Amino acid sequence: MAQATREFGEWPLKRLMTEVVGSGHKSADDMDRGQAREAFQRILADEPDHTTLGAFLLANRWKRNTPEELAAFVDVMREESVETAEPDADPVDCGANYDGKHSTAILGVAAGVVAAAAGTPVVVHSGDRVPTQKLDAYKHVLEALGVETDLTPAESADMVDEVGFGYYYQPNFNPGVDDLWERRDNMGVRTFVNTVETLANPANADVHLGSFYHLPFAVRMIETLQTAETQSVDRVLMFQGLEGYDDIRPGSTVVAEWTEGDDEVSDFEIETPNYGMDFESEDIEVDPVAGESATITEEVLAGERDDQFADAVALNAALRLYAREDADSLDEGLETARDTIESGDAAAVLEDLQAF
């Protein structure tokens, strides 16, 4: 242990537990940036005792991490684990929860392909059955569509440039976090790793589109990206994603928005019935999630559906256009998305994706 202390510094996880974060959710202190950096460096190096690691992860869940702590975790992750590959295109980085969805269709592939066909390149990334839910995510929909997912980061960047839509696979671009799979699975609950992995930004995109459950968490995520030193994001949109994913929920959806130069994070609401999504979440439930999502993707992009799934795909595509400021409003983005589907351009991009 002495050798590990000299290598890493003065803050092994057990000491952080005893002196900083481990006294309970009301009395625990926050780590400073240096302490949080050292903690995650030790975790990625598999240095902590597994019992201590579990206690540390749970203590941070109880106390809730600050943007400074999360930014330190993100910086260490990107310095020591993430292999970035930046395409020539300037895509929107879509950071959906890696542990997937259990009930409703995953619409981000269809929405991303429509956006790409309309001129807004999109990047998505995920792992494979990530804890705690270990459910269907981007990878599984793409595989059901016959799209190659086991790509190197460089191949993912080429996919973005050649097709307009790109997929980055966590074990290949973020192996250090992927190596934590078993430890995370044994926890049984989400931890801060579930949060920071969505901010890996393997394409070094300038725009991040992510999801949240509550507005204060969205603000915390934006402040995390503002505070991080290993990436420079100029624009962030966080919205109340369905099942925590990057699909707009039917009804009233809150969106937090920040652009470089803004003094504060602003927010607005999307009343989805005003944009064609006049239905309930139950109306877009599917089983199995990945297989049915793939079928819906093909049918919507081929112009074979004009139902609730087509409306949801168009609005989600519009949000991606708006995030990159390729549309001045959701109304403009929605019109572009629907025109892109009708023209056959979206179906053509899907064919290119399947042929890549």
Side-chain angles (χ1 to χ4, degrees):
M1 180 62 74
Q3 182 178 0
T5 301
R6 286 195 301 273
E7 179 182 352
F8 289 107
E10 301 178 354
W11 290 98
L13 263 61
K14 186 175 179 179
R15 183 184 177 194
L16 285 170
M17 282 293 298
T18 302
E19 300 183 24
V20 186
V21 303
S23 62
H25 70 281
K26 292 185 177 179
S27 58
D29 292 324
D30 297 321
M31 293 176 285
D32 63 32
R33 196 183 195 98
Q35 291 169 331
R37 282 185 57 87
E38 182 177 342
F40 207 41
Q41 286 170 340
R42 289 174 179 270
I43 290 170
L44 289 177
D46 196 26
E47 183 266 351
D49 174 87
H50 290 169
T51 301
T52 305
L53 174 59
F56 181 80
L57 293 173
L58 192 58
N60 278 270
R61 178 180 171 90
W62 283 340
K63 86 169 191 65
R64 299 181 183 178
N65 290 114
T66 66
E68 184 176 42
E69 291 170 330
L70 292 170
F73 299 152
V74 168
D75 286 340
V76 169
M77 177 180 67
R78 281 178 53 87
E79 291 165 358
E80 302 194 7
S81 178
V82 173
E83 179 184 346
T84 61
E86 187 172 334
D88 293 330
D90 186 16
V92 176
D93 174 68
C94 294
N97 285 340
Y98 278 23
D99 62 352
K101 296 176 77 174
H102 56 75
S103 298
T104 57
I106 296 172
L107 303 172
V109 174
V113 168
V114 173
T120 297
V122 168
V123 159
V124 302
H125 40 98
S126 76
D128 187 3
R129 310 297 176 194
V130 171
T132 55
Q133 296 193 124
K134 297 184 286 187
L135 297 173
D136 289 342
Y138 271 120
K139 172 182 173 61
H140 310 105
V141 178
L142 289 165
E143 287 182 339
L145 286 166
V147 176
E148 178 61 53
T149 60
D150 191 5
L151 304 170
T152 67
E155 290 171 333
S156 298
D158 289 342
M159 178 184 281
V160 180
D161 285 329
E162 293 183 25
V163 180
F165 178 99
Y167 174 74
Y168 288 69
Y169 183 37
Q170 185 186 50
N172 295 342
F173 78 84
N174 196 358
V177 168
D178 182 64
D179 286 345
L180 297 173
W181 193 99
E182 184 178 356
R183 302 272 70 79
R184 296 169 66 185
D185 189 39
N186 287 334
M187 286 295 299
V189 295
R190 286 175 175 167
T191 70
F192 66 76
V193 182
N194 291 79
T195 299
V196 299
E197 67 188 351
T198 68
L199 304 180
N201 194 5
N204 284 333
D206 292 326
V207 179
H208 178 77
L209 181 70
S211 63
F212 66 90
Y213 287 102
H214 305 290
L215 184 58
F217 182 77
V219 173
R220 189 180 311 156
M221 292 286 277
I222 292 173
E223 290 176 349
T224 295
L225 288 169
Q226 293 170 334
T227 307
E229 297 175 350
T230 54
Q231 58 178 307
S232 178
V233 178
D234 298 332
R235 182 162 161 80
V236 184
L237 263 70
M238 302 288 297
F239 64 97
Q240 281 179 303
L242 187 58
E243 297 188 60
Y245 222 71
D246 58 356
D247 298 319
I248 297 173
R249 67 175 63 193
S252 181
T253 295
V254 177
V255 182
E257 180 177 7
W258 174 81
T259 303
E260 182 70 41
D262 291 348
D263 294 330
E264 296 180 352
V265 176
S266 61
D267 62 87
F268 62 93
E269 292 189 19
I270 301 174
E271 299 295 339
T272 62
N274 297 335
Y275 298 93
M277 285 181 57
D278 191 11
F279 48 83
E280 304 298 326
S281 298
E282 293 77 8
D283 295 323
I284 51 175
E285 290 184 354
V286 293
D287 184 29
V289 170
E292 285 300 300
S293 297
T295 298
I296 290 164
T297 296
E298 290 184 307
E299 292 174 352
V300 168
L301 300 188
E304 296 173 0
R305 303 184 78 125
D306 59 1
D307 57 4
Q308 70 272 24
F309 293 105
D311 291 333
V313 167
L315 184 54
N316 277 282
L319 188 60
R320 285 148 175 77
L321 270 64
Y322 177 75
R324 193 170 176 267
E325 299 183 291
D326 292 332
D328 292 332
S329 66
L330 284 179
D331 284 313
E332 179 183 326
L334 187 60
E335 181 178 357
T336 299
R338 286 175 170 157
D339 288 346
T340 301
I341 294 171
E342 185 177 355
S343 70
D345 290 344
V349 168
L350 178 60
E351 291 176 2
D352 292 341
L353 187 63
Q354 291 167 322
F356 179 84

